[in-house]
Amino acid sequence: MQAVDTISIGIGVAATDAILKLAIFHTFFNVVGVMVMVPFISQLVYFLEDVLGDRSRGVGEARFLNDAALELPDTAIKAILRETRRLYNNATDLMGQGIGIHDSRLLTAKDDLEETLSQKKVVEIDLEKAYQNSIGGLYGSIVEFSVRAQS
């Protein structure tokens, strides 16, 4: 209460104006709460992930395509574009795995392509299964959502 009275006097709020003092208290409470919690954000994230569990979707599952995005045409288009970018990234990564080069090395190997190709490691991967897990389902979701959005 002392802090609220001091702030009220400092900004010129009347001593009898309870509504503005309540607003000052609420603002002060929120600012102090944020200052106290900021140092503990990472610990809070770990705690909440442990308690609530990991509800993240798989690589090949749509993240942005939902019924709420169908409400407005612009939102639906943006959701489709975001998922299409994910599909592209998944496909690029899978192709890199297929030839034994990690995606990040493909993107940074502009001048040293021969050296990068000579250093590739043979990786045993079931491309059919990897395709179904990372590309096939996502592609199907994009097509299905696009048809629903068009109608």
Side-chain angles (χ1 to χ4, degrees):
M1 289 179 56
Q2 186 67 32
V4 171
D5 288 336
T6 304
I7 294 170
S8 297
I9 292 169
I11 61 173
V13 174
T16 59
D17 195 349
I19 294 175
L20 283 179
K21 283 188 169 187
L22 179 62
I24 291 170
F25 169 75
H26 189 260
T27 303
F28 179 73
F29 182 81
N30 287 337
V31 169
V32 170
V34 168
M35 289 172 29
V36 167
M37 291 305 295
V38 164
F40 303 105
I41 287 177
S42 60
Q43 291 91 342
L44 182 60
V45 168
Y46 291 128
F47 171 74
L48 290 174
E49 285 178 348
D50 285 344
V51 170
L52 300 176
D54 186 16
R55 289 180 166 71
S56 62
R57 297 180 183 201
V59 174
E61 296 181 34
R63 292 183 186 162
F64 308 108
L65 306 180
N66 56 46
D67 291 337
L70 290 171
E71 298 290 325
L72 298 168
D74 288 344
T75 307
I77 290 170
K78 287 182 182 178
I80 292 169
L81 287 173
R82 290 178 84 179
E83 290 297 349
T84 304
R85 285 188 196 110
R86 287 189 60 237
L87 179 65
Y88 170 80
N89 290 335
N90 290 353
T92 304
D93 188 47
L94 186 61
M95 286 186 282
Q97 289 177 22
I99 60 173
I101 299 174
H102 191 269
D103 184 41
S104 63
R105 289 190 56 204
L106 275 175
L107 297 176
T108 60
K110 294 174 185 162
D111 296 328
D112 303 326
L113 184 59
E114 288 182 25
E115 180 181 334
T116 301
L117 290 173
S118 68
Q119 294 176 1
K120 70 179 183 177
K121 298 176 183 175
V122 177
V123 177
E124 293 295 325
I125 183 171
D126 183 0
L127 287 176
E128 186 67 32
K129 183 178 177 183
Y131 171 82
Q132 290 302 326
N133 289 339
S134 66
I135 296 174
L138 184 56
Y139 175 73
S141 296
I142 292 171
V143 170
E144 186 266 335
F145 183 84
S146 299
V147 169
R148 288 177 45 209
Q150 190 174 13
S151 63

